[in-house]
Amino acid sequence: MKIARIFAHRVDLPLVEGSYKWSGGKSVSIFDSTIVGVETECGLIGYGEVCPLGPFYLPAYSAGVRAGLRELGPHLIGFDPRELLKLNHRMDAALKGHPYVKSGIDIACWDLLGKVAQLPACTLMGGRFGEKIRLYRAISQLPPDEMADNVAGYRAQGYTRFQLKVGGDPDLDIQRIRQAREILQPSDRLIADANTGWTQHEAMRVVRAVSDLDVYIEQPCLTYEECLAVRRHTDNPFVLDENIDGLDVLLRARADLAMDVVNLKISKLGGLTRTKQVRDLCVSMGIAMTLEDSWGGDITTAAIAHLAHSTPEEFRFTSTDFNSYVTVSNASGAPQRLNGFMQTSDAAGLGVEPRFEVLGKRLVDVF
Ligand code: MG
């Protein structure tokens, strides 16, 4: 089996809430997502999706996904898409870095592998643990009252885990955390995600001010060293996200006891193959994970679900259903949230079929 064609379409994903805001005044109102297709000589097609969180979150941007596919695609024609490690080795030899470019191709090849094997991707990634995947809801940054109202609204829809977007003015952030925690039940989980937005002294003030609350602190500062300093001054559970972009830093963070939970995003790590490698190591080391991506629609949500469902439940801190944040469905067959949970289907591969009628014209076509 050989790759004969790699193509990509752009699809705009407007937000149900109108916009999504996080640290430092960063905001997106319409996500620019790329749907990647990998087609074999026999006409079988696998699909993936890559959707950066705007151009200012990770070193990734939407037009860069497409430019990268044009650069990388010609090096992969003729390769066997089922040989995933070999394919990733080839991608790394042809294009240094740019993990988010490789992510869509790798996801599409897992979809293909599942279609060939007639098995769901989660079975091929280790097996299906449990019946369903517990979801968190990201709460866009707004004044404290409005964020608390949104937490209450999403709680009424069945969510029990909430990720507050803080990383703004530290005094307002303390209010945001206090007001949100107040309306939750003891069994609910609250994560204050600063997305690198606080300086070290600001983070120190916030963690001291909320030390009496049951709240997780996620990625308070920009650098690993700043986060480690904050970590060493709080006993609240601690999550690292933006800094965990590969195995080297994960191993260093583990040795430093720098976190209790890591956030693994598929495109941050370069696809399902690389994320699975980090995921499996985290399981071996006893580290719980948020399993997700930077953003996306139905195909991303399906990929997240297969990654999460194949992870032992005790190490699945949480995941999210990005397809419910946006107004456009880019594929059928994706998991749909039910009472704060989702589950993968039994269909082969990712179990999704793109809705070509909502996708823009083909912007990348390599053959
Ligand atoms: Mg985060």
Side-chain angles (χ1 to χ4, degrees), residues 57 163 165 193 195 218 241-242 263 265:
Y57 172 62
Q163 193 192 74
K165 291 291 149 185
D193 188 357
N195 288 112
E218 180 162 337
D241 180 352
E242 284 87 335
N263 184 317
K265 293 181 163 69

Side-chain angles (χ1 to χ4, degrees), residues 45 87 174 231 321:
I45 307 176
L87 185 90
I174 293 165
R231 155 73 165 178
D321 55 323

Side-chain angles (χ1 to χ4, degrees), residues 265-283:
K265 293 181 163 69
I266 298 168
S267 61
K268 178 177 68 177
L269 294 166
L272 284 169
T273 302
R274 297 298 187 210
T275 307
K276 180 183 179 301
Q277 183 186 24
V278 176
R279 184 276 307 267
D280 292 343
L281 190 59
C282 283
V283 170

Side-chain angles (χ1 to χ4, degrees), residues 46-92:
Y47 296 100
E49 179 176 6
V50 183
C51 185
L53 188 60
F56 31 52
Y57 172 62
L58 293 171
Y61 69 108
S62 299
V65 178
R66 272 104 57 180
L69 289 170
R70 286 182 208 106
E71 176 71 31
L72 190 55
H75 298 277
L76 306 176
I77 301 299
F79 267 69
D80 190 332
R82 301 168 301 181
E83 296 185 333
L84 281 151
L85 205 54
K86 200 170 161 185
L87 185 90
N88 273 273
H89 191 254
R90 176 68 181 154
M91 288 200 285
D92 289 343

